[in-house]
């Protein structure tokens, strides 16, 4: 499609997700974050969107990245890691940015410790996908593209 820019999707990974592959593989699997990012970029190409990914262990950096997403991306996918369960700041940033948000998690939060059952992020998300391992991200991208195409 000459002259037509592809919509951009930002995928945000929160704390400790840089350790995927070595971190509790019985829960999170053996796939590294770099491999997940590559799968997302490839699926994005197939679905006709440009995928950018970003990981940070710092809450403020994630908040800033969300703030800067306005006008630059058509949708956000976020696995906020443990900030899912603690961060009102991230919730507020997601609400402020006014983009469609898809929340994803590798593990099924509701099968785990009670403190993981509550997500602050969920209030800002169109929906949540959890429990499918790496596939959660890919399903999340399909959902985000569906939202972009509908808008
Ligand atoms: C996680 C679940 C969170 O509870 C945890 O703190 C993570 C990863 C997941 O992808 O399953 O860091 O978001």
């Amino acid at each position: 499609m000459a002259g037509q820019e592809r919509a951009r999707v930002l995928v945000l990974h929160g704390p400790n997700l840089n350790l995927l592959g070595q971190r509790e593989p019985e829960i999170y699997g053996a796939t590294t974050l770099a491999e997940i990012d590559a799968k997302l970029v490839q699926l994005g190409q197939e679905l006709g969107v440009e995928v950018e990914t970003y990981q940070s262990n710092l809450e403020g950096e994630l908040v800033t990245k969300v703030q800067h997403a306005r006008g630059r991306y058509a949708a956000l996918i976020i696995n906020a890691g443990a900030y899912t369960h603690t961060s009102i700041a991230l919730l507020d940033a997601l609400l402020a940015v006014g983009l469609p948000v898809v929340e994803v998690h590798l593990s099924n939060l509701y099968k785990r410790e009670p403190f993981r059952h509550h997500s602050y992020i969920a209030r800002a998300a169109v929906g949540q996908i959890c429990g499918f391992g790496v596939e959660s991200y890919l399903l999340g991208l399909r959902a985000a593209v569906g939202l972009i195409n509908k808008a």
Side-chain angles (χ1 to χ4, degrees), residues 37-81:
D37 286 348
K39 283 176 193 283
L40 285 165
V41 169
Q42 198 200 320
L43 180 62
Q45 278 165 5
E46 287 165 30
L47 299 176
V49 297
E50 199 177 312
V51 172
E52 273 182 39
T53 65
Y54 177 81
Q55 189 275 334
S56 178
N57 291 325
L58 304 182
E59 184 177 16
E61 280 186 3
L62 292 164
V63 167
T64 300
K65 197 74 184 172
V66 171
Q67 288 182 5
H68 288 169
R70 187 195 284 281
R72 292 185 172 85
Y73 300 94
L76 281 178
I77 296 170
I78 183 165
N79 181 355

Side-chain angles (χ1 to χ4, degrees), residues 15 17 23 28 79 81-82 84-85 104-107 109 112 116:
L17 294 169
R23 171 193 185 202
Y28 298 116
N79 181 355
T84 305
H85 319 297
V104 302
H105 300 279
L106 295 150
S107 63
L109 303 179
R112 300 186 63 195
R116 295 186 204 274

